[in-house]
Coordinates of all heavy atoms in Angstrom, one line a residue:
V194 N 141.1 16.4 167.1 CA 140.1 15.3 167.0 C 139.1 15.7 165.9 O 138.7 16.8 165.8 CB 139.3 15.2 168.4 CG1 138.3 14.2 168.3 CG2 140.3 14.9 169.5
G195 N 138.8 14.7 165.2 CA 137.8 14.9 164.1 C 137.1 13.6 163.7 O 137.0 12.7 164.5
Y196 N 136.6 13.5 162.5 CA 136.0 12.3 162.0 C 136.4 12.0 160.7 O 136.9 12.9 159.9 CB 134.4 12.3 162.2 CG 133.8 13.5 161.4 CD1 133.6 13.6 160.1 CD2 133.3 14.5 162.2 CE1 133.0 14.6 159.4 CE2 132.7 15.6 161.6 CZ 132.5 15.6 160.2 OH 131.9 16.7 159.5
V197 N 136.3 10.7 160.2 CA 136.8 10.3 159.0 C 135.7 9.7 158.1 O 134.6 9.4 158.6 CB 137.9 9.1 159.1 CG1 139.1 9.6 159.9 CG2 137.3 7.9 159.8
N198 N 136.1 9.7 156.8 CA 135.2 8.9 155.8 C 136.2 8.3 154.8 O 136.7 9.1 153.9 CB 134.2 9.8 155.1 CG 133.2 9.0 154.3 OD1 133.5 7.9 154.0 ND2 132.0 9.6 154.1
P199 N 136.6 7.1 154.9 CA 137.6 6.5 154.0 C 137.2 6.5 152.5 O 138.0 6.3 151.6 CB 137.8 5.1 154.6 CG 136.6 4.8 155.3 CD 136.1 6.2 155.9
A200 N 135.9 6.7 152.3 CA 135.3 6.7 150.9 C 135.4 8.1 150.2 O 135.0 8.2 149.1 CB 133.9 6.1 150.8
S201 N 135.7 9.1 151.0 CA 135.7 10.5 150.5 C 137.0 11.1 150.2 O 138.0 10.7 150.9 CB 135.0 11.3 151.6 OG 135.0 12.8 151.2
L202 N 137.1 12.0 149.2 CA 138.3 12.6 148.9 C 138.9 13.4 150.1 O 140.0 13.5 150.4 CB 138.1 13.6 147.7 CG 139.4 14.5 147.3 CD1 140.5 13.6 147.0 CD2 139.0 15.5 146.3
I203 N 137.8 14.1 150.8 CA 138.2 14.7 152.1 C 138.1 13.6 153.1 O 137.0 13.3 153.6 CB 137.2 15.9 152.4 CG1 137.2 16.9 151.3 CG2 137.6 16.6 153.7 CD1 136.2 18.0 151.5
L204 N 139.2 13.1 153.5 CA 139.3 11.9 154.3 C 138.8 12.2 155.8 O 138.2 11.4 156.4 CB 140.7 11.3 154.4 CG 141.0 10.1 155.3 CD1 140.1 9.0 155.0 CD2 142.5 9.8 155.3
A205 N 139.3 13.3 156.3 CA 138.9 13.6 157.7 C 138.8 15.2 157.8 O 139.2 15.9 157.0 CB 140.1 13.2 158.6
R206 N 137.9 15.5 158.8 CA 137.6 16.9 159.2 C 137.9 17.1 160.6 O 137.4 16.4 161.4 CB 136.2 17.3 158.7 CG 135.9 17.1 157.3 CD 134.4 17.3 157.0 NE 134.1 16.7 155.6 CZ 133.8 17.4 154.6 NH1 133.8 18.8 154.7 NH2 133.5 16.9 153.4
V207 N 138.8 18.1 160.9 CA 139.1 18.4 162.3 C 138.0 19.2 162.9 O 137.6 20.2 162.4 CB 140.5 19.2 162.3 CG1 140.9 19.5 163.8 CG2 141.6 18.5 161.6
C208 N 137.6 18.7 164.0 CA 136.5 19.4 164.7 C 137.0 20.2 165.9 O 136.4 21.2 166.3 CB 135.5 18.4 165.2 SG 134.5 17.5 163.9
D209 N 138.1 19.7 166.5 CA 138.6 20.4 167.7 C 140.1 20.2 167.8 O 140.6 19.1 167.6 CB 138.0 19.9 168.9 CG 138.0 20.9 170.1 OD1 139.2 21.3 170.5 OD2 137.0 21.2 170.7
K210 N 140.9 21.3 167.9 CA 142.3 21.2 168.0 C 142.8 20.6 169.3 O 143.9 20.1 169.3 CB 143.0 22.6 167.9 CG 142.7 23.4 166.6 CD 143.4 22.7 165.4 CE 143.3 23.4 164.1 NZ 144.0 22.7 163.0
N211 N 142.0 20.5 170.3 CA 142.3 19.9 171.5 C 142.3 18.4 171.4 O 141.2 17.8 171.2 CB 141.4 20.4 172.7 CG 141.7 19.8 174.0 OD1 142.6 19.0 174.1 ND2 140.8 20.1 175.0
P212 N 143.4 17.7 171.5 CA 143.4 16.3 171.3 C 142.6 15.5 172.4 O 142.4 14.4 172.2 CB 144.9 15.9 171.4 CG 145.5 17.1 172.2 CD 144.8 18.2 171.9
K213 N 142.2 16.2 173.5 CA 141.5 15.6 174.6 C 139.9 15.8 174.4 O 139.1 15.5 175.2 CB 141.9 16.0 175.9 CG 143.4 15.6 176.2 CD 143.8 16.1 177.6 CE 145.2 15.6 178.0 NZ 145.7 16.0 179.3
A214 N 139.6 16.6 173.3 CA 138.2 16.9 173.1 C 137.3 15.7 172.9 O 137.8 14.8 172.3 CB 138.0 17.9 172.0
V215 N 136.1 15.7 173.4 CA 135.2 14.7 173.2 C 134.0 15.2 172.3 O 133.3 16.1 172.8 CB 134.7 14.1 174.5 CG1 133.6 12.9 174.2 CG2 135.8 13.6 175.3
L216 N 133.8 14.6 171.2 CA 132.8 15.2 170.2 C 131.4 14.5 170.7 O 131.0 13.7 170.1 CB 133.1 14.9 168.8 CG 134.6 15.3 168.4 CD1 134.7 15.1 166.9 CD2 134.7 16.9 168.7
N217 N 130.8 15.2 171.7 CA 129.5 14.7 172.2 C 128.5 15.8 172.2 O 128.7 16.9 171.7 CB 129.7 14.0 173.5 CG 130.4 14.9 174.6 OD1 130.4 16.1 174.4 ND2 130.8 14.4 175.7
R218 N 127.4 15.5 172.9 CA 126.4 16.5 173.0 C 126.9 17.8 173.6 O 126.5 18.9 173.2 CB 125.2 16.0 173.8 CG 124.0 16.9 173.8 CD 122.9 16.4 174.8 NE 121.7 17.3 174.7 CZ 121.7 18.5 175.3 NH1 122.7 19.0 175.9 NH2 120.5 19.2 175.1
D219 N 127.6 17.7 174.7 CA 128.1 18.9 175.4 C 129.0 19.7 174.5 O 129.0 21.0 174.5 CB 128.9 18.6 176.6 CG 128.0 18.1 177.7 OD1 126.8 18.3 177.7 OD2 128.5 17.4 178.6
W220 N 129.8 19.1 173.6 CA 130.7 19.8 172.7 C 129.9 20.4 171.6 O 130.1 21.6 171.3 CB 131.7 18.8 172.1 CG 132.6 19.4 171.0 CD1 133.7 19.9 171.2 CD2 132.3 19.4 169.6 NE1 134.3 20.4 170.0 CE2 133.4 20.1 169.0 CE3 131.3 19.0 168.8 CZ2 133.5 20.3 167.6 CZ3 131.4 19.2 167.4 CH2 132.4 19.8 166.9
L221 N 128.9 19.8 171.1 CA 127.9 20.4 170.1 C 127.3 21.6 170.7 O 127.1 22.7 170.1 CB 127.0 19.4 169.7 CG 127.4 18.4 168.6 CD1 126.4 17.3 168.5 CD2 127.6 19.0 167.2
R222 N 126.8 21.4 171.9 CA 126.1 22.6 172.6 C 126.9 23.8 172.7 O 126.4 24.9 172.4 CB 125.5 22.2 173.9 CG 124.6 23.2 174.6 CD 124.2 22.9 176.0 NE 123.1 23.7 176.4 CZ 123.2 25.0 176.7 NH1 124.4 25.7 176.7 NH2 122.2 25.7 177.1
E223 N 128.2 23.6 173.1 CA 129.1 24.9 173.2 C 129.3 25.4 171.8 O 129.2 26.7 171.7 CB 130.4 24.4 173.8 CG 131.4 25.5 173.9 CD 132.8 25.0 174.4 OE1 133.1 23.9 174.3 OE2 133.7 25.9 174.7
R224 N 129.6 24.7 170.8 CA 129.8 25.3 169.5 C 128.6 25.9 168.9 O 128.7 27.0 168.3 CB 130.3 24.2 168.5 CG 131.8 23.7 168.8 CD 132.8 24.8 168.5 NE 134.1 24.4 169.0 CZ 135.0 23.7 168.3 NH1 134.7 23.3 167.1 NH2 136.2 23.5 168.8
I225 N 127.5 25.3 169.0 CA 126.2 25.8 168.4 C 125.7 27.0 169.2 O 125.3 28.0 168.6 CB 125.1 24.7 168.4 CG1 125.5 23.6 167.4 CG2 123.8 25.4 167.9 CD1 124.5 22.5 167.4
S226 N 126.0 27.1 170.5 CA 125.7 28.3 171.3 C 126.6 29.4 170.9 O 126.1 30.6 170.8 CB 126.0 28.0 172.8 OG 125.1 27.0 173.3
Q227 N 127.8 29.1 170.6 CA 128.7 30.3 170.0 C 128.3 30.8 168.7 O 128.2 32.0 168.4 CB 130.1 29.7 169.9 CG 130.9 29.4 171.2 CD 132.2 28.7 171.1 OE1 132.6 28.3 170.0 NE2 132.9 28.6 172.2
A228 N 127.7 29.9 167.8 CA 127.2 30.3 166.6 C 126.0 31.1 166.7 O 125.9 32.2 166.0 CB 127.0 29.1 165.7
L229 N 125.1 30.7 167.6 CA 123.9 31.4 167.8 C 124.2 32.8 168.4 O 123.6 33.7 168.0 CB 123.0 30.6 168.7 CG 121.7 31.3 169.2 CD1 120.8 31.6 168.0 CD2 121.0 30.4 170.2
S230 N 125.2 32.9 169.3 CA 125.5 34.2 169.9 C 125.9 35.2 168.8 O 125.6 36.4 168.9 CB 126.6 34.0 170.9 OG 127.0 35.3 171.5
L231 N 126.7 34.7 167.9 CA 127.2 35.6 166.8 C 126.0 36.2 166.0 O 126.0 37.4 165.7 CB 128.1 34.9 165.9 CG 128.5 35.6 164.6 CD1 129.5 36.8 165.0 CD2 129.3 34.6 163.6
R232 N 125.1 35.3 165.7 CA 123.9 35.8 164.9 C 123.1 36.8 165.7 O 122.6 37.8 165.2 CB 123.0 34.6 164.5 CG 123.5 33.9 163.2 CD 124.8 33.3 163.4 NE 125.3 32.5 162.3 CZ 126.4 31.9 162.2 NH1 127.1 31.8 163.3 NH2 126.8 31.2 161.2

């Protein structure tokens, strides 16, 4: 699952390999929390 921009050379960016993933606040919180933990 990702997002698109038909006007861009990079047409789409994959955000999650899980085809059932929902790119919402909960998804963002998990990813940003993982990033914060690394730092």
Side-chain angles (χ1 to χ4, degrees):
V194 175
Y196 55 75
V197 299
N198 188 342
S201 173
L202 176 62
I203 303 175
L204 173 63
R206 298 175 197 249
V207 180
C208 294
D209 202 304
K210 295 293 185 180
N211 181 359
K213 296 182 180 179
V215 180
L216 307 184
N217 56 15
R218 186 189 184 284
D219 290 339
W220 179 85
L221 280 167
R222 189 186 190 286
E223 180 185 12
R224 288 289 171 90
I225 296 175
S226 294
Q227 290 171 353
L229 177 60
S230 174
L231 175 66
R232 278 64 177 183

